[in-house]
Amino acid sequence: MSAILQIKDLRKSYAGGFEALKGVTLDIEEGEIIALLGPNGAGKTTLISTVCGITTPTSGSVTVGGYDIIDDFRDARSLIGLVPQEIALEPFERVINTVRFSRGLFGKSRKDDVVEGILKKLSLWDKKDNQLKELSGGMKRRVLIAKALAHEPRVLFLDEPTAGVDVELRKDMWDIVADMKRDGVTIILTTHYIEEAEAIADRVGVINNGELLLVEDKARLMQQLGKKQLDVQISTPIDAVPDSLAGYALDLRDPTTLTYSYDVRAERTGITQLLGDIAEAGLQLKDVVTRQSSLEDIFVGLVQEEEEAKA
Amino acid sequence: MNWTAIRAIYIFEMARFFRTLLQSFVSPVISTSLYFVVFGAAIGSRIDEVDGVSYGAFIVPGLILLTVMTQSISNASFAIYFPKFIGTIFEVLSAPLSFVEVVIGYAGAAATKSFIIGLIILVTSFFFVDIAIQHHVAMLLFLVLTCISFSLMGFIIGIWAKNFEQLQLVPLLIVTPLVFLGGSFYSISMLPPVWQTISMFNPVVYLISGFRWAFFGLSDVPVGASLAAIALFTCACLAIIGWIFKTGWRIRQ
């Protein structure tokens, strides 16, 4: 695979001196889904806005399909589709006309079969003659996606596509994103929802305070950074961890549950020894459960580490 | 030049115009008719002729320009302000478009709307007064140039405005007084000498004078000066718009 989007040392400063992007460098491969995670004000939307031409970069370079977003802005932008965070639509316009408008705006000739295909794929065909103000919030989000896809882009930016939508619609959106990936569209999405990144992304990037802290293959990230926990349930409640088990840094979650954290990458996890020592300490085992850290744990950990490092 | 995109913006904007037919067409016809009733019939009955032209006919060019100027500004400023207000401007900014194409699309549609309204007012006036237009081509040229230049001005106002109040501010406090004091309803020669001199600093005087010349062969200022004034005004608007897009002032962060 080759990089369809290349961001090099991208910086954005505002007049007041606020630095929204502090030298972001990122390559995105064609056909992948990358999720950018970050708290509010991390710089996610600024990054997207800069690549899409809505915000002017202070320095650095961005190429899309090999085209520079400043020097070859026409070629670069024609490859990009953008679904914004806010629902921004002309309320009195009809669904089909607003999608046709978007296609025309990107210089593509009117092709009713393409527009029909997009509307059908997004379950909007039966609403094509409705005014946008008549649609529900979820349907409006679908229209925004239809507008972004109208000119058949190769790269699609989804800025918090499921913010404020119900669980069912969120799952629908994930199916739509999966469909688009099957069609070969490269997708960059920003999200607050870790489960969203976990469910649909191939790679995950963590951004905070305008800096890209990490970009990693999702599965590898989970494997590399994910710590596993072993919950050992015992039959008799205890008040404190026995002294003989002090070397394991056990956490007494409740009077009958001891939690042991271990690294999956380690050669020896120490589980066999622990279970033996627990029995030797006179505690009777009732059950054992293992849990893997979620992406959310990893994300919170990374952001906290950065905040602590700066403090 | 991305003509497909220009066409898309143009059609989108014209569709808005035709969606509100009552407001677009009927409103200017009614206001013009009222002007004819008040100024033409009531006041005009006390003024026989101005430079050999009946007062009712004399005010027609001024009335057309009054509406065309305000409509051009209003249409163009709203066309670009509304997407800013509701957030849909992101689509235009992220599209593969140059500022020239954006302006042609938006200001072109606004100018077309004003041109149509100008023609409607002209046709309406035929029901009230007898008019024989002397220079048809010049009349259309002045009308088109006025529609374009004031649409460009409206576009600037739409970019500048931060709220609906500011959107109305310039048309209400600057343009309308200039048009009313620009000889829409009288000849500058009817004013005392001091006011005649002051009026020469009003750019609208040149536009109305040139337009009236196309109708009746009468003008307060030389036709060349009128053409130069409108050309200068258009160039100034284009220069400002060029600067806006180059710097991204109030549209691109």
Side-chain angles (χ1 to χ4, degrees):
Chain A
M1 286 202 290
S2 59
I4 192 163
L5 178 65
Q6 290 186 306
I7 302 170
K8 278 185 195 158
D9 198 25
L10 189 66
R11 290 173 190 276
K12 175 65 190 175
S13 304
Y14 289 98
F18 173 68
E19 210 176 356
L21 295 176
K22 300 170 183 168
V24 172
T25 297
L26 174 65
D27 279 4
I28 293 171
E29 306 297 325
E30 183 151 24
E32 73 169 332
I33 300 178
I34 183 163
L36 292 175
L37 294 171
N40 282 331
K44 305 186 297 288
T45 300
T46 306
L47 179 63
I48 287 182
S49 300
T50 309
V51 174
C52 293
I54 298 166
T55 303
T56 314
T58 306
S59 66
S61 71
V62 180
T63 60
V64 185
Y67 298 110
D68 186 88
I69 59 159
I70 306 288
D71 297 334
D72 316 306
F73 76 96
R74 285 183 196 273
D75 291 316
R77 288 187 200 171
S78 63
L79 296 175
I80 300 173
L82 168 64
V83 181
Q85 192 173 335
E86 302 291 331
I87 294 179
L89 291 164
E90 289 251 3
F92 303 104
E93 195 50 76
R94 298 193 184 280
V95 171
I96 193 156
N97 290 339
T98 196
V99 177
R100 280 180 185 148
F101 169 69
S102 299
R103 183 173 170 83
L105 205 56
F106 278 73
K108 290 284 181 88
S109 59
R110 182 169 159 172
K111 272 191 182 171
D112 285 344
D113 56 328
V114 172
V115 172
E116 184 180 337
I118 292 167
L119 291 179
K120 281 184 173 167
K121 190 171 272 185
L122 292 163
S123 310
L124 285 168
W125 184 242
D126 58 334
K127 306 271 184 195
K128 68 181 192 302
D129 294 319
N130 283 51
Q131 284 191 321
L132 292 160
K133 67 184 171 82
E134 298 166 356
L135 302 183
S136 65
M139 282 293 168
K140 284 178 184 164
R141 283 211 178 268
R142 284 168 189 263
V143 173
L144 284 174
I145 295 177
K147 281 168 75 66
L149 292 175
H151 63 284
E152 302 161 88
R154 283 169 61 198
V155 179
L156 185 69
F157 284 93
L158 295 159
D159 195 1
E160 306 217 9
T162 56
V165 304
D166 61 37
V167 177
E168 196 180 345
L169 185 63
R170 194 176 302 166
K171 295 271 162 55
D172 280 354
M173 285 286 176
W174 294 354
D175 290 342
I176 291 167
V177 170
D179 266 357
M180 288 188 288
K181 180 181 162 69
R182 272 194 289 276
D183 292 342
V185 180
T186 305
I187 296 160
I188 297 109
L189 68 95
T190 66
T191 182
H192 276 312
Y193 303 110
I194 315 288
E195 56 166 339
E196 192 158 275
E198 215 162 342
I200 59 176
D202 299 314
R203 281 201 300 161
V204 175
V206 177
I207 188 167
N208 193 32
N209 291 324
E211 288 174 290
L212 199 58
L213 303 180
L214 164 110
V215 184
E216 189 57 273
D217 177 86
K218 183 185 68 186
R220 202 176 305 148
L221 180 71
M222 301 278 292
Q223 198 183 13
Q224 283 180 359
L225 294 178
K227 284 184 179 161
K228 268 197 140 178
Q229 290 187 318
L230 175 76
D231 285 344
V232 180
Q233 291 188 330
I234 49 177
S235 303
T236 317
I238 54 173
D239 296 329
V241 177
D243 291 341
S244 59
L245 300 174
Y248 291 100
L250 294 171
D251 177 29
L252 188 64
R253 285 180 61 203
D254 62 60
T256 57
T257 309
L258 289 161
T259 300
Y260 172 61
S261 298
Y262 61 97
D263 191 341
V264 284
R265 293 167 298 166
E267 203 174 309
R268 298 173 73 88
T269 59
I271 294 173
T272 315
Q273 188 69 40
L274 170 70
L275 294 178
D277 288 349
I278 287 175
E280 216 164 87
L283 303 174
Q284 195 178 356
L285 290 176
K286 190 178 172 189
D287 198 1
V288 286
V289 182
T290 61
R291 288 185 288 117
Q292 179 133 26
S293 310
S294 70
L295 206 50
E296 183 155 7
D297 299 329
I298 297 166
F299 168 66
V300 170
L302 275 168
V303 172
Q304 273 176 354
E305 266 176 37
E306 199 216 6
E307 299 294 335
E308 281 165 14
K310 283 188 176 165
Chain B
M1 191 70 89
N2 189 347
W3 289 107
T4 312
I6 294 171
R7 188 169 166 270
I9 295 174
Y10 185 85
I11 290 173
F12 197 77
E13 282 303 308
M14 290 308 289
R16 195 209 307 274
F17 180 65
F18 289 110
R19 265 203 307 270
T20 53
L21 273 179
L22 202 67
Q23 184 193 326
S24 305
F25 290 115
V26 180
S27 166
V29 171
I30 289 176
S31 14
T32 310
S33 303
L34 286 172
Y35 275 117
F36 276 119
V37 170
V38 175
F39 287 95
I43 298 173
S45 61
R46 293 172 181 271
I47 306 170
D48 287 341
E49 287 184 340
V50 181
D51 297 331
V53 178
S54 76
Y55 185 70
F58 180 83
I59 63 169
V60 170
L63 266 183
I64 293 173
L65 283 199
L66 171 68
T67 311
V68 160
M69 286 174 187
T70 48
Q71 285 288 321
S72 296
I73 290 175
S74 154
N75 286 327
S77 59
F78 185 80
I80 193 69
Y81 177 75
F82 193 56
K84 267 175 55 185
F85 179 70
I86 61 171
T88 53
I89 191 76
F90 84 88
E91 205 174 10
V92 176
L93 295 176
S94 61
L97 290 171
S98 71
F99 89 88
V100 177
E101 291 151 352
V102 175
V103 172
I104 293 175
Y106 280 109
T112 307
K113 293 173 198 175
S114 316
F115 183 74
I116 294 170
I117 292 168
L119 291 183
I120 289 171
I121 295 171
L122 181 62
V123 171
T124 309
S125 68
F126 289 139
F127 291 100
F128 291 91
V129 288
D130 289 325
I131 303 172
I133 301 166
Q134 289 194 13
H135 309 283
H136 291 87
V137 177
M139 188 277 284
L140 285 174
L141 179 72
F142 269 108
L143 188 59
V144 169
L145 285 174
T146 307
C147 290
I148 292 172
S149 57
F150 276 76
S151 293
L152 292 173
M153 185 183 178
F155 191 87
I156 296 168
I157 293 168
I159 298 275
W160 165 77
K162 284 182 175 171
N163 51 49
F164 279 100
E165 192 191 7
Q166 287 186 347
L167 204 63
Q168 300 296 331
L169 212 62
V170 176
L172 213 64
L173 296 183
I174 300 172
V175 179
T176 308
L178 285 180
V179 175
F180 269 89
L181 299 172
S184 302
F185 301 107
Y186 55 86
S187 167
I188 300 298
S189 62
M190 294 162 78
L191 298 173
V194 177
W195 285 105
Q196 283 190 29
T197 310
I198 293 171
S199 293
M200 288 301 119
F201 291 98
N202 180 355
V204 177
V205 166
Y206 297 85
L207 304 185
I208 292 178
S209 170
F211 197 48
R212 189 169 283 140
W213 170 84
F215 273 78
F216 311 118
L218 303 168
S219 61
D220 290 316
V221 293
V223 181
S226 294
L227 273 173
I230 199 163
L232 197 70
F233 180 58
T234 308
C235 290
C237 289
L238 282 172
I240 294 170
I241 291 171
W243 173 81
I244 286 172
F245 275 86
K246 195 177 172 191
T247 58
W249 184 70
R250 292 205 174 169
I251 49 168
R252 207 186 290 275
Q253 289 179 315

